[in-house]
Amino acid sequence: MKIKNICCIGAGYVGGPTMSVLALKNPNIKVTVVDINQDRINSWNDENLGDLPIYEPGLEEIVNEARGRNLFFSTDVEKAIDEAEMIFISVNTPTKTYGKGKGMAADLKYIELCARQIAKVATTDKIVVEKSTLPVRTAQAIKDILDNTGNGVKFQILSNPEFLAEGTAVQDLLTPDRVLIGGEESEEGTIAMNSLVEIYATWIPKENILTTNVWSSELSKLVANAFLAQRVSSINAISELCEVTGADVGEVSRAIGMDSRIGPKFLKASVGFGGSCFQKDILNLVYIAKTYGLNEVADYWEQVIIMNDYQKRRFADNIVSTLYNTVSGKKITFLGWAFKKDTNDTRESAAIYVADALMNEQAEIIVYDPKVSEKRIYEDLDYLGSRSPEENRRLLKVVKDPYIASEEAHAIAILTEWDEFIEYDWKKIYDSVVKPAFVFDGRKLLDAELMSKIGFDYSSIGISK
Ligand code: NAD
Ligand code: UGA
């Protein structure tokens, strides 16, 4: 079955870049990305490509080429559903903040709304593709809704989880390690899977396109994120051991990563992992295990989150204890607010929690981040609800220049590994800060020897002082 029209519901960090690349590589398919957020759609349609809602290296060029040709962004959800033979669901699936499973289970209300809307609008057969990350067996719920509320047309549900990482989304989409497609084990299921395989095969070698049953595909996405996050928590646990024993966590990572069975990636000790998915997806996995009564399985994976929370807290505590046990009224400069470099996304960023802990100690925080807006930073803090919005604005200021941000600082903390931080004139910064000049490097980014030579009292995750 040849697909001519695709609709993607959700123009976020996944829907936007994924559909841009898919449209670029399939000029004969009309791809319409729809969202209920009018501002987001306006930004995707903005003449000025610098104003796209998402910052990703290489994305502007792709949007520039495909937009208006066969890639469209719109708020007319029903029209796009009606026209498409294949509909991707790429809406957000956050952790529930209420009711049963609060703080753990995935909130599937946006997914259900999409399913009901598709059922209502569809007057021809459709292939519905789960692109969002979902609890295993969600396809069953989507199918129930579609089959019981639809207009008698036929639906096939595929699971096609996305593995891109922010900051490298375009590269990850252009050359993915693999594409995973799960479908029903039937003739119709195979036809649906093949039609999606053909779309990806326009740019991805067929041997890298895996097909499985739906449940394996849904579960593999949660498991992939759990394994990745587990590596970060594992090396972060070792970072504290390094700090007290004189071992260097960078050297340990290198030494173990050269074992081809372990491999070198995802062994960078840090102030803690952030991002919209690792925590949410592990909590989701833990919740699923619990609902099946698998308590040991649940506890095993929950430890990855417990370790991550500890790492963020430990970083903040270390700043307070090093600054003579008080940071009240002291200016602490944060370099970086995004959860990793090369993205403007701040969801679950470690910086938010470290700032909150220091503000509880009445520190004054000055933030500089090359891509994150002031508005976003205050929204992140207000969302925590630790103090009033006025108090957040009194205790934390956002500055557009790193040198001004550092003036008269009692300490500088590096929260994101932006490349530009390495290139700064650290001598100039040293001259402008309060002495002793403390730097807390949460990303192992700077050259320890150079920093000490300039005169800084420099501490880095995983290295004893
Ligand atoms: P996002 O919040 O950036 O985007 C989701 C979009 O869906 C929003 O713009 C929202 O307005 C829209 N939306 C919600 N309900 C809608 C509806 N009924 N109709 C139309 N639009 C609707 O989220 P995201 O980061 O793109 O993540 C989407 C999914 O992809 C999640 O399940 C996530 O776990 C998964 N995922 C994310 C990443 C990542 O790096 N961000 C990577 C892989 C997978
Ligand atoms: C992660 C996965 O890498 C993607 O494969 C997945 O598709 C995505 O989640 C998702 O499902 O949302 P992302 O969160 O965008 O991607 O970014 P990562 O590169 O995985 O980084 C996550 C966090 O871990 C960041 O805060 C990063 O700084 C931290 N990290 C990563 C470390 O502290 N050390 C490392 O060695 C690697």
Side-chain angles (χ1 to χ4, degrees):
M1 180 186 177
K2 269 254 172 289
I3 304 294
K4 290 265 157 234
N5 282 285
I6 284 179
C7 160
C8 173
I9 310 180
Y13 280 84
V14 167
T18 309
M19 290 301 128
S20 299
V21 170
L22 194 147
L24 179 83
K25 298 292 185 181
N26 289 276
N28 298 326
I29 300 179
K30 180 182 173 194
V31 180
T32 308
V33 191
V34 291
D35 205 294
I36 40 177
N37 182 336
Q38 181 75 55
D39 284 349
R40 223 170 200 184
I41 291 299
N42 290 348
S43 303
W44 280 113
N45 284 325
D46 205 303
E47 285 295 303
N48 182 0
L49 288 162
D51 287 339
L52 293 183
I54 287 163
Y55 171 71
E56 277 294 338
L59 182 61
E60 291 174 17
E61 291 80 351
I62 292 175
V63 171
N64 192 32
E65 195 171 332
R67 196 176 62 185
R69 178 188 76 182
N70 64 323
L71 173 67
F72 302 91
F73 295 93
S74 161
T75 50
D76 196 342
V77 183
E78 300 207 342
K79 177 163 178 276
I81 292 174
D82 181 39
E83 284 177 1
E85 300 101 41
M86 183 178 270
I87 301 160
F88 286 79
I89 301 182
S90 190
V91 300
N92 36 330
T93 49
T95 304
K96 266 186 98 174
T97 53
Y98 55 88
K100 191 159 169 261
K102 177 179 173 181
M104 273 215 159
D107 192 342
L108 298 181
K109 69 179 173 205
Y110 306 110
I111 297 286
E112 180 167 344
L113 275 173
C114 288
R116 289 187 184 276
Q117 196 164 19
I118 294 168
K120 188 182 99 187
V121 173
T123 51
T124 51
D125 296 353
K126 310 275 181 204
I127 298 170
V128 175
V129 184
E130 298 173 344
K131 181 52 97 180
S132 299
T133 302
L134 298 167
V136 55
R137 297 206 72 88
T138 303
Q140 187 61 53
I142 295 180
K143 189 151 179 46
D144 278 354
I145 293 169
L146 291 173
D147 288 348
N148 286 303
T149 64
N151 304 311
V153 298
K154 289 209 180 88
F155 294 102
Q156 269 299 319
I157 322 287
L158 299 179
S159 160
N160 172 221
E162 184 48 59
F163 295 102
L164 69 81
E166 290 177 28
T168 52
V170 169
Q171 219 34 58
D172 295 343
L173 288 164
L174 289 174
T175 53
D177 287 351
R178 73 343 201 152
V179 165
L180 180 58
I181 301 172
E184 192 183 280
E185 291 164 305
S186 65
E187 199 183 326
E188 293 88 345
T190 309
I191 293 171
M193 278 199 272
N194 284 343
S195 61
L196 187 52
V197 169
E198 289 314 317
I199 293 170
Y200 281 113
T202 55
W203 82 98
I204 294 160
K206 277 223 169 124
E207 58 273 23
N208 292 0
I209 305 175
L210 281 184
T211 52
T212 65
N213 79 33
V214 187
W215 320 125
S216 304
S217 173
E218 287 179 337
L219 186 59
S220 296
K221 173 62 200 180
L222 296 180
V223 173
N225 273 356
F227 269 62
L228 289 168
Q230 180 199 41
R231 282 174 72 95
V232 179
S233 273
S234 297
I235 200 68
N236 280 344
I238 299 304
S239 74
E240 188 174 25
L241 196 53
C242 288
E243 288 164 28
V244 295
T245 56
D248 176 332
V249 76
E251 292 180 349
V252 174
S253 290
R254 187 148 178 261
I256 65 165
M258 280 175 78
D259 184 327
S260 60
R261 293 167 303 173
I262 298 175
K265 295 179 181 168
F266 265 71
L267 286 179
K268 243 187 235 131
S270 67
V271 55
F273 61 73
S276 60
C277 294
F278 276 180
Q279 174 168 310
K280 147 176 106 61
D281 294 348
I282 294 176
L283 289 172
N284 187 347
L285 193 67
V286 169
Y287 185 72
I288 293 168
K290 279 193 177 159
T291 54
Y292 286 103
L294 311 180
N295 293 327
E296 285 75 10
V297 178
D299 291 349
Y300 178 78
W301 287 105
E302 193 168 16
Q303 195 60 35
V304 175
I305 302 289
I306 293 171
M307 185 64 224
N308 195 48
D309 289 340
Y310 173 65
Q311 188 76 345
K312 294 181 268 188
R313 209 166 53 239
R314 195 166 81 76
F315 186 75
D317 287 351
N318 184 35
I319 295 180
V320 177
S321 60
T322 308
L323 295 187
Y324 316 108
N325 289 318
T326 175
V327 289
S328 174
K330 289 182 181 168
K331 183 171 154 180
I332 300 176
T333 302
F334 273 33
L335 293 182
W337 189 266
F339 81 97
K340 63 186 285 197
K341 73 171 177 179
D342 291 339
T343 178
N344 61 347
D345 197 349
T346 64
R347 289 177 287 182
E348 291 299 329
S349 180
I352 304 168
Y353 297 95
V354 175
D356 188 53
L358 294 173
M359 287 159 80
N360 283 342
E361 296 285 334
Q362 299 176 353
E364 288 177 21
I365 311 289
I366 312 291
V367 182
Y368 167 77
D369 187 287
K371 290 286 174 199
V372 179
S373 69
E374 176 173 315
K375 181 167 170 275
R376 179 75 252 164
I377 293 172
Y378 286 130
E379 280 169 2
D380 289 337
L381 281 173
D382 293 345
Y383 183 76
L384 287 184
S386 303
R387 59 193 75 71
S388 69
E390 295 71 36
E391 192 70 352
N392 280 333
R393 282 151 191 76
R394 187 179 71 77
L395 286 173
L396 183 144
K397 303 269 183 261
V398 182
V399 170
K400 292 231 153 35
D401 178 297
Y403 295 100
I404 296 175
S406 310
E407 276 170 11
E408 301 291 325
H410 282 81
I412 295 174
I414 296 177
L415 277 304
T416 312
E417 72 282 22
W418 287 103
D419 292 335
E420 65 172 64
F421 298 166
I422 302 170
E423 307 302 329
Y424 287 172
D425 182 346
W426 283 98
K427 174 77 179 77
K428 180 174 161 185
I429 292 176
Y430 178 79
D431 290 339
S432 76
V433 300
V434 173
K435 310 296 179 311
F438 292 105
V439 170
F440 298 89
D441 189 342
R443 295 291 183 165
K444 285 181 61 58
L445 188 69
L446 304 176
D447 181 336
E449 214 172 299
L450 177 73
M451 294 301 280
S452 302
K453 211 156 103 199
I454 293 173
F456 284 107
D457 186 315
Y458 173 79
S459 31
S460 177
I461 293 280
I463 304 176
S464 55
K465 279 204 338 189

